[in-house]
Amino acid sequence: MLSGLMNFLRACFRPKSDQYSHTSLDTGGRQDGLLWYKDTGQHVNGFTSEQQTMSVDVIRKAYQATEEGFLSLVTKQWPMKPQIAAVGSCCLVGVICGGTLYVANLGDSRAVLGRAVKATGEVLAIQLSAEHNVCIESVRQELQSLHPDDSQIVVLKHNVWRVKGLIQVSRSIGDVYLKKAEFNREPLYSKFRLREPLKRPILSADPSISVHQLQPHDQFVIFASDGLWEHLSNQEAVDIVQNHPRSGSARRLVKTALKEAANKREMRYSDLKKIDRGVRRHFHDDITVIVVFLDSNLVSGGSSVKGPNLSVKGGGVSLRPNILAPCATPTEAGST
């Protein structure tokens, strides 16, 4: 079952080999989106094989292994490419096992469930993931409680709350310049270096994990980076998926969000699309979307780690179970 899910994730996204110099990097050096689906998924699969079951602990270990793997890469690259210390990613993962949906998250990506209501025929949006963006008061309070001796742990800068005035998320994969003192020094760019010595990690790689027992009226789950949710509410996104054919759902969500971004800038969508991607980052955030439709065998709980095949569709990508699907481009997967 897990191998089928990971085949789907591989088909939806594959990081570029030059990801650390990619034009979608934001001003903080982070690459948003679902970058770590593939890597974390491989770790999840490995830990599941060891323990013969899926659990919150298995997922947490997978995140830890992914973080340690990236830290190892930073350590090796630091002498040649020190700016890699300021590269990081949000990490949103969904695993379906035995009729149970596990959703784990670092950062401000989001998973939203579409659940049908028999009495009315409508499909309601239910958010499954917790977010770690300091624009949320409870997240700011959490950081302040962890760093009571630092009055500048969260700073309002240009009307945006940021951790140390640098980054909006409090949890991520990477961003080791805010986790390890040895990477917060020259030759890292001065804009990333703290004025005072880093005594303990500021950011965390410990995910928030929720467990949801799937029901027959659970229709689909939308996994998306924060770029989508800046322009669409949970219910608006669910309505778009519900009211259109399954094929192309992810791309349809991306296009709708981009049209809204264009409207906010008082420009035409066609003109927005003409702007170079490196410049478009100033008009809208990166957007990556995966839509997973829940088939009856998943909801019934008939599947398990060793159990029947998994059938999943997302963003127009349809896979037969237990095969390694060809890799789709980010555009085909619903990414911009």
Side-chain angles (χ1 to χ4, degrees):
M1 188 281 297
L2 274 175
S3 62
L5 178 61
M6 295 321 303
N7 286 340
F8 163 69
L9 296 178
R10 289 189 187 97
C12 286
F13 189 84
R14 175 175 291 174
K16 293 180 179 291
S17 59
D18 62 344
Q19 57 190 275
Y20 304 117
S21 60
H22 195 262
T23 55
S24 66
L25 289 176
D26 67 18
T27 54
R30 302 178 61 257
Q31 183 158 357
D32 287 336
L34 310 182
L35 173 64
W36 293 99
Y37 258 113
K38 179 180 177 183
D39 190 33
T40 302
Q42 291 173 335
H43 287 307
V44 167
N45 208 12
F47 287 123
T48 303
S49 298
E50 292 175 8
Q51 300 189 18
Q52 299 300 313
T53 185
M54 176 53 62
S55 68
V56 169
D57 185 55
V58 165
I59 295 174
R60 201 173 300 280
K61 286 182 178 179
Y63 270 79
Q64 181 181 356
T66 303
E67 171 78 352
E68 290 173 354
F70 190 78
L71 176 59
S72 175
L73 177 64
V74 173
T75 302
K76 292 177 182 178
Q77 293 286 329
W78 172 259
M80 297 82 69
K81 300 178 181 179
Q83 308 315 319
I84 193 176
V87 172
S89 176
C90 299
C91 182
L92 176 63
V93 169
V95 177
I96 299 172
C97 182
T100 301
L101 171 62
Y102 298 83
V103 174
N105 190 42
L106 290 175
D108 50 10
S109 295
R110 186 183 303 173
V112 174
L113 172 72
R115 171 179 287 178
V117 180
K118 282 189 176 182
T120 62
E122 61 184 334
V123 176
L124 297 181
I126 300 174
Q127 184 168 327
L128 301 178
S129 56
E131 295 170 31
H132 312 112
N133 189 309
V134 290
C135 70
I136 303 170
E137 184 177 1
S138 60
V139 177
R140 295 198 300 273
Q141 292 174 346
E142 178 185 51
L143 271 179
Q144 290 163 348
S145 66
L146 292 172
H147 303 271
D149 55 338
D150 188 351
S151 62
Q152 299 296 307
I153 189 65
V154 184
V155 178
L156 187 62
K157 188 175 182 179
H158 304 304
N159 293 319
V160 178
W161 287 103
R162 294 182 181 274
V163 180
K164 301 300 291 183
L166 294 169
I167 189 171
Q168 288 184 262
V169 296
S170 62
R171 305 189 195 188
S172 69
I173 295 290
D175 295 311
V176 299
Y177 74 112
L178 291 177
K179 296 175 180 177
K180 299 283 187 179
E182 58 265 37
F183 298 116
N184 197 284
R185 59 180 177 84
E186 292 183 344
L188 186 69
Y189 291 152
S190 59
K191 65 179 180 180
F192 296 128
R193 299 200 302 268
L194 302 179
R195 295 180 180 178
E196 66 283 351
L198 183 63
K199 298 178 181 179
R200 58 184 179 275
I202 294 175
L203 302 188
S204 166
D206 184 32
S208 294
I209 304 175
S210 65
V211 181
H212 176 76
Q213 296 300 319
L214 293 174
Q215 304 297 323
H217 44 282
D218 292 340
Q219 304 296 301
F220 52 82
V221 184
I222 302 170
F223 296 89
S225 60
D226 66 310
L228 181 80
W229 308 113
E230 287 179 2
H231 302 293
L232 296 178
S233 69
N234 293 353
Q235 191 60 53
E236 286 171 337
V238 164
D239 289 344
I240 290 169
V241 174
Q242 176 63 21
N243 296 329
H244 293 86
R246 286 189 174 190
S247 179
S249 292
R251 287 192 294 272
R252 191 173 296 111
L253 286 169
V254 171
K255 185 174 182 179
T256 303
L258 291 180
K259 285 184 175 180
E260 183 61 27
N263 289 336
K264 291 177 180 178
R265 289 283 187 155
E266 298 183 346
M267 61 189 304
R268 293 180 298 183
Y269 168 72
S270 57
D271 292 333
L272 178 66
K273 291 289 288 183
K274 294 176 184 177
I275 300 174
D276 180 77
R277 289 198 174 204
V279 179
R280 272 172 57 187
R281 183 62 182 79
H282 299 288
F283 290 80
H284 66 83
D285 204 349
D286 304 328
I287 305 174
T288 303
V289 180
I290 295 174
V291 182
V292 178
F293 292 93
L294 303 172
D295 291 344
S296 58
N297 67 311
L298 300 180
V299 176
S300 66
S303 59
S304 65
V305 174
K306 295 183 177 180
N309 295 331
L310 172 67
S311 175
V312 179
K313 295 181 180 179
V317 179
S318 180
L319 303 182
R320 297 190 305 277
N322 298 332
I323 63 168
L324 180 60
C327 180
T329 65
T331 300
E332 292 170 333
S335 177
T336 182

